[in-house]
Amino acid sequence: MSVLIEAIGFGIALGAVIALGAVGFTVQFGISNVLNITYGALLTVAAYLGYYLLQLGWNVWVALAVTSVAMAVLSVIFNRLLLAPLSRRGTSFVGVVIVTVAAGIILQYCVVAVAGPDTVSYGQLSGSTVKFADLVFTTSQLIILAIAVVLMVALHMLLTRTQFGRAMRATSANPVVARGCGIDTDRVIDVTWLISGALCGAAGVALAISTVTFDFTLGPTFLIYMIAAAVLGGIGQPHGAMLGGMVVGVVSQVASAYSNPAYQDAYAFAVLILMLLIRPRGLFSAGTASARRLAG
Amino acid sequence: MSSAEPSLATRGLVAGYGDIPVVRGVDIEVRAGELVAVVGPNGAGKSTLLKAILGLAKVIEGQVLADGADITRAPLQKLVRLGIGYVPQTDDVFDPLKVRENLLMGGYLLDKQTRAARMEEVLAIFPALRSRLNRYVGTMSGGERKMTAIGRALMLTPKVLVLDEPTAGLSVALTEMVLTEQVRALADHGHAVLLVEQKAQAALRLADRAYVLVQGSVAMAAPAAQVLASPEMAEVFLGGQLKQQQAADQ
Ligand SMILES: Nc1ncnc2c1ncn2[C@@H]1O[C@H](COP(=O)(O)OP(=O)(O)OP(=O)(O)O)[C@@H](O)[C@H]1O
Ligand SMILES: [Mg+2]
C-alpha cells in the first residue's frame, strides 16, 4: 500500500511539471495551430538559463520567473522570424512540423556548444517536506503544483471569460472572419506565443528542479509526455492539459513502482492509447481547429 | 440620403489569385440606402470580386474606394473600422465558439454595454438564435450557422454590408425572410448593401440595381427590374443551364 501511495505522490509531483509544460503546449497548438516540436529544445534552453541564474546566486523561484519572461520573448521572436513567415508562404501543416523538428535539433546542438554535454544540477534545494495524509511532498514540489494550478485556472478564465481570450480562440478558428470583426490577429498570435513561451520557461526550470540532474536531452525527453497530456486533455483546453499531465505522471510512476521501471513509458502510453480509444477527442473535447485536425 | 461619393466602389478592378485575373476590369458602386445585387453563373468571379474589395484576393490593377477614399488592398481589420462588414460565402462563423461568443466577437470593437445591448437587437432579428446561445456553432445546422454569421456581421451596424450568398442553405421561407426583412430592410435604413446571390430571381426582385457578372466582366449593369426582365439574363442563367443540360443529355 505504501508503495502505491508513494508512487502516487511522485506521480502528482511529476504530473504538475508535465502539466505546466502541457498547458503551454496546448495553448500554442490550440490557438496558433502550429505543432511546435522545438518546444522540447526550448524547455532545455529554459532549464540551462535557470541553471546560470542559480550560478549567479539567484533564488530559484526568482530564476524561474525571470527565465519565464525571457522565454516568452524568445518564443515570440521564434514565431515571428521562422514560423509566421513559413505559414504566410503557405507551407503545409506537416512542412511546418518538420521545420520545428529541425529547429529543435539545431537548438539542441547550440545548447551542447554553449553548455557542454555533461549533466548539471541545480543542487540540493533547501526546504522542508509536507505531509498530506500519507503523501509526502517537498516544498518545491508543492510550489510547482501551485504555479501549475494557478496558471491553468488563469488561462482557462482568459480564454473563456474575457473578450481577448475569445478573440484568441476566434483567431484560431477563423482568422479571416476574426479580422472581419476588427481583431488584430497578428497581435493575438504574438500574445499566444508570449503566454506559451512563458509557460515553457516555467516548465523548463520546474523540470530541472524535479529531475535533480539533467543534460541537453532534458526537454525533448519530456516533450512527448507533455504532448500526450495535451492530447489526452483535449487540445486547446488548459484544464484538460492539467488533468492529462496528472494522469500521465501518476500512471507512469505507479507503473514503474510495480514493474520494471524501464517499462514505465510503455505503461503510460498504453493508458494514453486506451483513453483515446474511449474518448477520441480527449477528456475535454475542445473543438479548436487543431483539435479537429488531430481528430481527423 | 445619397451623398456625392458612393459608399463603396471599384474602378477598373482586375483581381485574382496568383497572377491570373479572375475579375477583369470591373466597375461597380453602391450608395447609402441602396441594395445592389451581383448575379452571374457559378465561377463567374462574384466571390473573387468581393474578396478583392475586402483585401482577401490579390488586386492586380484598379482601385477600391470607400466614400471616395482609396482602400485598395487595405487589410480587413482596417475596413471594419471604416464600417464595412463582410459575410463570406463559406467559413463564415467561429465553429468552436458558442453562438453567444460568435455574436460577442462581432461586437469586438464595441464597448461592453453597447455590445450587450446590440446583441439583444440582433437576437430580436434572429429570435431562433436566442434558445441556442450556448450551443457551439460547429454543432448547428447550415441555416442556424448562416443566421449566426449574419448576426455577427450586424453586431457592428456596418455602414456598408457585403454579403456573399447569405441565403445559401436556408429554407425557402427563411431565404425570403432574410432577404426582405434583413437585407432589404438594411438598405431601407440607409446602409449600403452589396449582395451576391445565387437565387438571382429573389435577389433581383428586391434589389435597386444589379450587375450581371459573366467570366469576370460586367455583362450588364442596370436597375434590378430591368435585369430581371432582360433576355440576356435568361440567356446567362437559363440558357447556360439549358446548354449544360443538353450537353449532359448527349
Ligand atoms: N482560392 C482560389 N485560388 C485559385 N483560384 C480560385 C480560388 N477561388 C476561386 N478560384 C477560381 O476563380 C474563379 C471564380 O471563382 P469565384 O468563387 O469568384 O466564383 P463565383 O462567381 O463566386 O461562383 P459561385 O457562384 O459558385 O460561388 C473560379 O474559376 C475558381 O476556380
Ligand atoms: Mg461565390
Side-chain angles (χ1 to χ4, degrees):
Chain A
M1 195 59 199
S2 73
V3 175
L4 177 66
I5 297 213
E6 197 181 52
I8 290 176
F10 283 142
I12 292 174
L14 176 65
V17 178
I18 292 172
L20 202 53
V23 171
F25 186 84
T26 210
V27 168
Q28 192 171 87
F29 183 30
I31 305 294
S32 69
N33 300 326
V34 175
L35 185 68
N36 174 23
I37 302 299
T38 317
Y39 198 85
L42 289 168
L43 285 167
T44 315
V45 171
Y48 276 97
L49 222 82
Y51 174 73
Y52 290 125
L53 293 177
L54 255 64
Q55 297 290 300
L56 295 175
W58 289 38
N59 170 286
V60 68
W61 305 112
V62 177
L64 183 142
V66 170
T67 301
S68 192
V69 172
M71 293 308 292
V73 174
L74 191 65
S75 169
V76 173
I77 295 172
F78 174 69
N79 177 56
R80 280 214 194 162
L81 290 189
L82 188 65
L83 301 185
L86 282 175
S87 43
R88 255 202 305 278
R89 279 167 212 172
T91 312
S92 71
F93 178 74
V94 174
V96 176
V97 174
I98 300 299
V99 169
T100 67
V101 171
I105 292 170
I106 294 169
L107 199 55
Q108 197 167 357
Y109 279 108
C110 294
V111 169
V112 176
V114 174
D118 302 330
T119 37
V120 295
S121 169
Y122 280 14
Q124 200 61 47
L125 297 178
S126 59
S128 48
T129 56
V130 182
K131 263 187 96 163
F132 286 107
D134 287 337
L135 296 175
V136 183
F137 295 104
T138 65
T139 11
S140 48
Q141 284 174 333
L142 287 180
I143 293 175
I144 291 171
L145 185 61
I147 293 174
V149 171
V150 167
L151 291 180
M152 179 272 293
V153 172
L155 254 178
H156 183 73
M157 299 301 255
L158 172 75
L159 289 175
T160 56
R161 300 288 155 82
T162 70
Q163 197 61 354
F164 191 79
R166 279 186 210 110
M168 289 171 73
R169 287 159 58 220
T171 298
S172 147
N174 193 332
V176 170
V177 173
R179 286 197 285 277
C181 292
I183 296 167
D184 183 346
T185 51
D186 287 341
R187 195 168 71 98
V188 166
I189 296 293
D190 276 349
V191 172
T192 303
W193 285 82
L194 207 64
I195 292 172
S196 58
L199 284 156
C200 177
V205 174
L207 259 182
I209 293 170
S210 72
T211 57
V212 186
T213 64
F214 65 95
D215 62 14
F216 61 95
T217 62
L218 176 76
T221 311
F222 280 88
L223 177 65
I224 186 70
Y225 285 105
M226 291 170 188
I227 296 179
V231 171
L232 189 59
I235 280 293
Q237 304 283 43
H239 57 300
M242 182 85 204
L243 196 65
M246 286 298 162
V247 170
V248 170
V250 170
V251 168
S252 67
Q253 291 306 306
V254 169
S256 78
Y258 284 97
S259 67
N260 187 338
Y263 294 153
Q264 73 178 65
D265 289 355
Y267 285 107
F269 289 110
V271 169
L272 172 78
I273 292 171
L274 202 70
M275 292 184 78
L276 284 179
L277 283 172
I278 298 166
R279 288 192 66 90
R281 285 170 170 233
L283 299 174
F284 304 93
S285 109
T288 59
S290 34
R292 267 177 284 120
R293 183 172 292 124
L294 272 192
Chain B
M1 189 116 248
S2 72
S3 57
E5 297 288 352
S7 303
L8 190 67
T10 66
R11 301 275 179 257
L13 194 66
V14 178
Y17 312 88
D19 291 328
I20 308 138
V22 171
V23 171
R24 305 149 200 263
V26 166
D27 292 274
I28 63 166
E29 52 179 67
V30 197
R31 290 172 185 275
E34 209 181 23
L35 170 56
V36 171
V38 175
V39 296
N42 290 121
K46 304 183 295 293
S47 295
T48 307
L49 170 62
L50 298 194
K51 286 187 208 164
I53 289 172
L54 295 154
L56 299 170
K58 189 174 168 190
V59 174
I60 299 163
E61 246 182 83
Q63 279 186 311
V64 182
L65 307 168
D67 289 326
D70 191 341
I71 55 158
T72 319
R73 300 183 189 87
L76 191 50
Q77 64 263 37
K78 294 248 170 67
L79 301 182
V80 187
R81 289 172 167 83
L82 297 176
I84 301 174
Y86 170 52
V87 181
Q89 181 172 359
T90 53
D91 288 331
D92 50 357
V93 283
F94 303 115
D95 277 331
L97 271 64
K98 295 172 178 176
V99 172
R100 176 198 304 282
E101 293 177 316
N102 269 264
L103 297 180
L104 289 175
M105 279 297 102
Y108 188 72
L109 297 176
L110 304 174
D111 66 69
K112 200 171 175 176
Q113 268 145 28
T114 321
R115 196 187 298 143
R118 182 62 189 153
M119 189 160 97
E120 280 307 309
E121 291 170 12
V122 169
L123 287 174
I125 298 172
F126 295 110
L129 290 182
R130 193 179 288 278
S131 61
R132 294 171 175 79
L133 279 176
N134 286 318
R135 281 277 294 275
Y136 286 97
V137 178
T139 68
M140 301 206 309
S141 79
E144 291 165 338
R145 294 159 63 89
K146 260 299 173 212
M147 287 189 261
T148 308
I150 299 172
R152 185 225 90 221
L154 291 180
M155 282 293 292
L156 283 183
T157 333
K159 277 198 312 193
V160 182
L161 192 57
V162 179
L163 299 168
D164 197 347
E165 305 206 12
T167 70
L170 295 190
S171 68
V172 177
L174 212 51
T175 295
E176 195 56 35
M177 194 283 272
V178 165
L179 288 183
T180 42
E181 288 176 33
Q182 301 319 317
V183 178
R184 181 68 249 180
L186 277 169
D188 292 342
H189 282 98
H191 299 256
V193 184
L194 180 59
L195 169 72
V196 163
E197 194 40 84
Q198 201 57 241
K199 296 163 183 160
Q201 306 258 335
L204 291 174
R205 274 198 301 274
L206 290 172
D208 298 304
R209 291 186 304 106
Y211 296 90
V212 181
L213 202 64
V214 179
Q215 289 183 6
S217 303
V218 174
M220 187 180 183
Q226 204 173 315
V227 174
L228 191 59
S230 72
E232 287 100 321
M233 182 65 195
E235 166 64 20
V236 164
F237 281 93
L238 296 173
Q241 276 168 25
L242 277 181
K243 273 177 212 148
Q244 277 172 16
Q245 189 65 43
Q246 280 159 4
D249 288 347
Q250 276 160 17

